[in-house]
Each structure stands twice: as structure tokens, then as C-alpha cells.
Amino acid sequence: MKNSILIIILMFLTVITYSTPFFKQGIEEINYKENYGEYVNDSKLKIINFIPMKVQWESINDITTIETDKSLKTIKMNYESDNTNLNLIRKGNFIELSGTSEGEEVQKKLKIDDDPWYQLFVFSFTDFIFSDDKTRQYWVFNPFDLSMSKMKVEKISKEKITINEKTYDTFLLNTRLTGFMSIFWKGEYWFNSENGMYLKYDGLNIFPKIQNVIITAQDWR
């Protein structure tokens, strides 16, 4: 009995120490609509575990599962799609990659620097939102060419947006690749300024082809 109570207390303290306020409201699953113009997909962001913190993004084409530390930096990742199953773990300034890509075995080390790895940055950005930082650079893994890319996120403004006839106060963030590649990809994200929930994206998507997509939150529980 005492052990059970101790476990419950530790779980509660862990949730409180994570810097995502919507956890405290008990929100564990958010459903999204991805509008590509010619077709529409559904996707889902789900918290699957608190100790350790594990979060999953599920779309029509793939499933990405990450494990983070208390500041929401990615430390482990699993990516699954047709004929592909990749496992990644951060060890210092290297990402160790293993698994299969398009049915072929792969094992390699990817060099990065001290900046954070935010694989599901729509989740990890909640740490950035409520920090004093105006900009932040981070790494993200590209499962299509098995590489790490450096990106930059910037706080732009506060805005009111309306989704499904409901209005929200939000933080608008701009993300882009760093350096020369910044001219080729960028996107805008809106997060609920009250609890840090990811509400909307408007920008480019690269799979299955380069095209614009608008993603909006539909419901949560």
C-alpha cells in the first residue's frame, strides 16, 4: 500500500515538473485535421506515458513516438511507416540510428551540437513558448534521407484565431531551416497562450510531395 502511494506521488510530481501546462488539465490526446486542398487526412498527438515521458504522433502515413527529458528535449525516437522502422537515441552530441529504411538495414551515427533535439516540436515547443527566449535553434530528424537538420523557431506575435467557430488567444511562431536552406522551407504555428496546446499549422509539407497544408485541432480529451 505504501509503495502504491509513493508511486502515485512520484507520478504527480513528475507531471507538475514538466513544463507543459495542458498536462495539468488532464489533456492526453488531441485530434487534428490535415487539409491539403485536394484531400484531407486525420492525425493525432497522444501522451502515452508520463514516467518516462512518451508522446506519439500518428498520421495516415507514419507513426512517430518520442521519449523526452523534463525540458521536453527528445532523447529517444521510434519512426514507423511502410517497410521502415527506425530507432534513434541521443548520446551526447551524436544521434545513434538503427533499424530498417525501405526494407534495408541501416546503422549510423549522426553528428549534432549542443542544441536541443525536438522531433515532435509541436509538443516540445510548449517549453519554448513559456520561456523568456525569443528564438531558439534545434535539431530535427528527417526519416526520408536519414539526416539531422538544424532549424530555428521564433516568437512572432500574439493573435486571436478561430477554429470551428471558437476563438482562441494564441502565440504565433515561425519556424524555418537555418542558413541558405531557410528560403526553401518555413511554416507558421499557433499555440494556445493559456495552456500551450498546438492548435494550427500553415506551411509546406514535403510528403508525399511538396505542397501547402493547413492543420487544425479538432477535439481533445
Side-chain angles (χ1 to χ4, degrees):
M1 180 65 176
K2 289 182 179 180
N3 289 338
S4 298
I5 293 173
L6 179 59
I7 291 172
I8 291 172
I9 292 173
L10 288 174
M11 291 181 65
F12 175 76
L13 291 176
T14 300
V15 172
I16 294 301
T17 56
Y18 279 97
S19 55
T20 42
F22 66 86
F23 288 177
K24 301 173 187 178
Q25 300 178 8
I27 297 171
E28 298 181 6
E29 185 174 302
I30 310 169
N31 294 302
Y32 294 89
K33 188 75 69 177
E34 303 179 1
N35 191 328
Y36 294 86
E38 58 196 73
Y39 61 92
V40 175
N41 288 336
D42 293 322
S43 54
K44 179 187 301 182
L45 181 67
K46 183 178 181 181
I47 300 168
I48 60 177
N49 197 53
F50 284 110
I51 305 176
M53 175 61 75
K54 289 185 179 180
V55 183
Q56 186 176 87
W57 179 270
E58 181 179 348
S59 71
I60 192 172
N61 296 307
D62 50 38
I63 298 174
T64 300
T65 306
I66 65 164
E67 182 177 323
T68 79
D69 63 14
K70 290 188 173 85
S71 60
L72 305 185
K73 299 173 184 176
T74 306
I75 54 177
K76 293 181 181 179
M77 168 189 172
N78 174 260
Y79 174 84
E80 296 180 71
S81 66
D82 289 343
N83 297 319
T84 296
N85 191 317
L86 299 171
N87 293 295
L88 297 90
I89 181 170
R90 180 168 187 165
K91 293 185 177 180
N93 286 350
F94 286 93
I95 305 296
E96 295 188 356
L97 165 66
S98 62
T100 57
S101 176
E102 299 297 329
E104 296 186 3
E105 289 191 14
V106 59
Q107 186 168 351
K108 60 194 300 188
K109 280 188 176 182
L110 305 171
K111 183 73 169 67
I112 57 174
D113 57 24
D114 292 332
D115 285 334
W117 173 23
Y118 289 155
Q119 192 60 37
L120 295 182
F121 38 87
V122 296
F123 172 77
S124 293
F125 278 171
T126 50
D127 174 74
F128 169 67
I129 287 170
F130 296 108
S131 74
D132 293 330
D133 295 346
K134 302 299 181 183
T135 65
R136 189 176 288 182
Q137 293 194 6
Y138 63 97
W139 290 94
V140 64
F141 174 68
N142 183 341
F144 306 114
D145 66 5
L146 306 182
S147 68
M148 300 294 293
S149 297
K150 177 65 78 71
M151 299 192 70
K152 178 181 179 181
V153 57
E154 181 180 8
K155 294 174 182 174
I156 303 299
S157 63
K158 291 185 176 181
E159 289 189 0
K160 289 184 180 293
I161 64 170
T162 301
I163 300 175
N164 295 333
E165 300 182 350
K166 186 172 181 179
T167 300
Y168 301 89
D169 292 315
T170 69
F171 294 115
L172 169 61
L173 307 184
N174 179 280
T175 61
R176 61 180 65 235
L177 293 166
T178 59
F180 171 73
M181 294 298 293
S182 65
I183 64 175
F184 296 105
W185 189 91
K186 64 179 181 179
E188 293 184 326
Y189 293 82
W190 287 261
F191 289 78
N192 191 318
S193 59
E194 178 182 351
N195 62 16
M197 184 190 300
Y198 164 48
L199 292 175
K200 181 180 177 181
Y201 170 74
D202 190 342
L204 288 178
N205 188 68
I206 63 173
F207 185 82
K209 63 180 181 180
I210 297 177
Q211 59 189 322
N212 197 75
V213 59
I214 298 175
I215 302 175
T216 51
Q218 299 299 301
D219 56 73
W220 46 85
R221 62 179 181 83

